[in-house]
Amino acid sequence: MNMREYRSQEQVDFIVIGSGAAGGIMAKQLSTAGFSVVVLEQGGWGKFGHERDYPKDELLNRNIHPEDRLISNPQRQRNTFRRNDREDARPGGHTYGCVVGGGTVTYGGSSWRHLPWEFNEATTVGTIAGTGLADWPITYDELEPYYTQAEWEMGISGQRVDSPFVAPMSKEYPVPPVPMKSSGALFHVAAAKLGLSVVPGPLAIITKPYMGRSGCVNCGLCSGYGCHVKARSSSAVTMVPLAIETGNCEVRVRSYVREINVDNGGRVTGVTYFNADKQEVFQSARAVVLSANAGESARLLLMSNSSRFPDGLANSSGVVGRYLMLGGGGGASGLFEHPLNDYKGVVSGTGILDYVPSDPDRGFYGGGRLTSRGYATPISYGLSGLSPGSPRWGAGYKQALREESNHRMNISCFTTQLPLETNRVDLDPDVKDEWGLPAMRITSTSHPDDIKNMEFFRQKSIEILEAAGATKVWAGPVRDSTGGAHNRGTCRMGDDPNTSVVDKFHRAHDVPNLFVVDGSNLVTGGRNHPTMTIQALAFRAAEHLVLAANAGDV
Amino acid sequence: MSTQEKSRRSFLVDSVSGLGGVWVLANYPEILAAEEHVLAEDESADFAFFTPEQAVEVEEMTAQIIPTDHTPGAREARVVRFIDRILVGFDRDRQDDYTQGLQDLAAETKRRFPSADKFSDLIYDQRLEVLTAIETTPFFNLVRTHTITGFFASPVHGGNAGKVGWELLGYDDSLNHEAPFGYYDALPQMRRGGTTP
């Protein structure tokens, strides 16, 4: 690979912190526009450029060598969790994508757009006392062209449908949806009985050759694995190669940023990071784009405190880290008479979307999507895939495996979580990460409506499985989230510098040459499928940033 | 060529492109031979961690966890070989758990059946009784996890010999599948995009 390299003393136009869903797009758009860009990525290269070497081996994936990890390691990138301020925080298991391409290298690929009315629910639904439910400073119409751009530049498979529960699209998807699986067929069976509708899920997994990449071969070792045929449209196989090809962009892996530096005038001068040898390096830049994901971006701003910014960079509002949304869920599982073989193909195929809008008749705020899934690879199935009450070993265990394997499907729900000021990321006062920096501390308890909503979706999942003809149905209790890849909201976007961190073009209210572009900007979390909206926001942010930089306004 | 070989071959060919594909085709006999070699590893080869006596006890435990009935169990899948290998690999920090756990197993055996010196001396019902007595212990659950993992992991790791674990599940490891995948998506009305069963 022939990649431009910059000296750290050399001032580049932009540093982009993070190379995931947003960072990859920012790097590609800025370098294509002719700017010099250094991307700082915590993780390694993964199998960048030789993706066929991604192991399709469940045992290796479960026991991955630390150097080959594609997600962060809670033993190194330590974090803590507590339900509220009165509790002592305990060691947490929060992780995020940690490789060139970030979480998009291993994610399931769901690429739902937010619906038009999800940008102004404070108006359409009404504010909810004690919550931070607020309208976005931008509308769906303003973002729509960038959704389309993201779908076509990343490569999203799907089918445009005319439905009140799906965002309207100005253009078809570039490639057709994944084949219907048996779990999807059973969704159709249930939906026909219950008067619901089924929609093929939009996925960042291409189904036929597109932009030089292969279509999905339905290998079945999907979410959590790197894609060996490059069918998953990650930043690593779409944006980052194009950024490097411009000759303007250098990607520095194993670069763990500890601080965004500022001068006395309150402008960013560059960033200080630990290289792979844990040596501190300062890279100078005209401007910084922070795309490290909601948890890490907020933590880095809070760590970047100075006499001028004593409460953390870009935090005069005190909002940095707050309104964290980890994501809500719920679901159920069922057994069916005939084999589904749902281990083949992608994780999530179809969605039942009739409960996407909030309905006051339910007595609480909330909505979400039900997705059909049957995903179970052999080891995980053997260890924990049998229905409750099944023998754990012996002749009965073996017989249950024989009877149940490939007959199971799951419903996974993705539900709303209200933004609350008290739910937040901050710096743990006691625990340090492997680099000696304050660990991320997550404080989170969902609003009572979120819990009621999750229970509603759990019940709907049971109803749907029964309507589909399941011979046995079970569902664990709903659980409030403690971390995970869908974290959003910690640097919310808004017009008012007193209540938000960045403006509608992602520029920090307090710092003219600092831009935050990632899931942290989401004012509301949508129905807990954030990636496509993050990607659309990034394309929009990049377009405005290029215009501003060319006009000397950075 | 068996179906499994065929599907494996089509995966190898389809999942690589250009020169790689040519290379795979040209070297396919060698690749298969290498795989066969792994599968045909000498039954009597030394264990890397277990003593021969320990290996017998562990194998008898695995054979209770996934027994042999009209289809192969953990014994035929050579799960003990898998466990031995991971105990000098990524699970080497569990070695002491096995050393101690096997001593405890012998003690529990002796306590219940004073005439027996070791677990493998027992007859079927007695073995069941001993393992049921310890089924909530960390050691039993470690062996359970390792047995199931070895039974369902790729044969290249030493267990799941002949892919008997995958066969039990009906799991096709070709890694290259085409729809329809299962019974319900293959129904004619589903293939037409219909919604009624």
Side-chain angles (χ1 to χ4, degrees), chain B residues 48-119:
Chain B
F49 170 68
F50 293 132
T51 64
E53 295 75 23
Q54 286 175 319
V56 169
E57 300 307 296
V58 173
E59 180 167 66
E60 296 309 320
M61 279 185 84
T62 67
Q64 290 294 323
I65 292 168
I66 306 179
T68 307
D69 48 18
H70 61 281
T71 64
R75 189 192 309 279
E76 293 74 26
R78 296 161 55 89
V79 163
V80 66
R81 292 276 166 186
F82 167 86
I83 297 176
D84 181 65
R85 209 188 275 190
I86 63 172
L87 287 176
V88 295
F90 63 80
D91 255 0
R92 65 173 62 80
D93 58 345
R94 311 310 295 265
Q95 288 183 358
D96 292 348
D97 295 325
Y98 271 86
T99 307
Q100 183 61 49
L102 289 171
Q103 287 172 16
D104 294 346
L105 178 71
E108 182 68 22
T109 299
K110 193 85 189 157
R111 200 174 69 75
R112 288 177 179 269
F113 304 101
S115 64
D117 288 324
K118 49 190 192 297
F119 180 71

Side-chain angles (χ1 to χ4, degrees), chain A residues 500-550:
Chain A
S500 59
V501 178
V502 298
D503 69 15
K504 64 197 283 189
F505 299 118
H506 300 258
R507 192 192 298 250
H509 288 302
D510 298 346
V511 188
N513 60 342
L514 173 65
F515 299 81
V516 186
V517 187
D518 59 20
S520 71
N521 307 131
L522 273 64
V523 180
T524 55
R527 269 59 187 157
N528 196 9
H529 282 120
T531 308
M532 176 42 61
T533 294
I534 293 169
Q535 290 167 329
L537 287 173
F539 276 109
R540 179 177 173 276
E543 186 173 302
H544 287 279
L545 185 46
V546 167
L547 290 173
N550 283 333

